[in-house]
Amino acid sequence: MKVSVDISMYPLKEEYCQPIIDFIEAMEKAEKVSIQRNSMSTHIYGEFADVMSAMNSEIEKVLNEIPQTVFVIKLIGTDREKANIRAC
C-alpha cells in the first residue's frame, strides 16, 4: 500500500536547525522512499513498510541524541501526489 507522510521535527534546544537538516538528509538516503522538502514540513512517499522502516530508524536516532524532540506526523494511506481529493 502506498502512503504519504507529512512530518515536522521540533528539537527543543537552542541549536535546532542542524538536527532538522541532518534528519532530512538521512531520510533522503533511505531506499525506496521519495522525499520533498518545504519550509514547514517534509513529505515522504512510498510503500507503507519502506516509509515506516525509514522513519522508525531515523526517529530513533534523533530521540537517542536529543530526547527533547517533538515529531508531528500526519499519514494518509494513498500516494498524495497522485490522489484526487476534493474539499467538502
Side-chain angles (χ1 to χ4, degrees):
M1 158 182 45
K2 296 276 188 183
V3 296
S4 301
V5 173
D6 178 276
I7 186 169
S8 299
M9 177 181 154
Y10 304 96
L12 302 179
K13 61 183 236 169
E14 285 190 39
E15 301 296 324
Y16 63 89
C17 287
Q18 193 59 50
I20 295 169
I21 292 167
D22 293 345
F23 174 78
I24 295 169
E25 288 176 349
M27 288 298 301
E28 288 175 332
K29 293 177 185 173
E31 294 183 20
K32 301 181 183 178
V33 298
S34 173
I35 307 292
Q36 289 183 357
R37 299 180 185 207
N38 68 50
S39 60
M40 298 291 291
S41 63
T42 300
H43 298 166
I44 307 166
Y45 306 100
E47 291 293 328
F48 178 81
D50 298 327
V51 169
M52 298 308 286
S53 176
M55 286 195 326
N56 183 53
S57 174
E58 295 309 322
I59 289 172
E60 183 176 18
K61 287 178 190 175
V62 168
L63 294 177
N64 280 326
E65 288 183 29
I66 313 166
Q68 308 81 5
T69 300
V70 175
F71 285 92
V72 177
I73 301 169
K74 294 182 273 182
L75 180 124
I76 183 169
T78 186
D79 186 340
R80 188 167 179 314
E81 287 182 307
K82 298 177 184 171
N84 184 8
I85 301 172
R86 294 174 27 180
C88 300

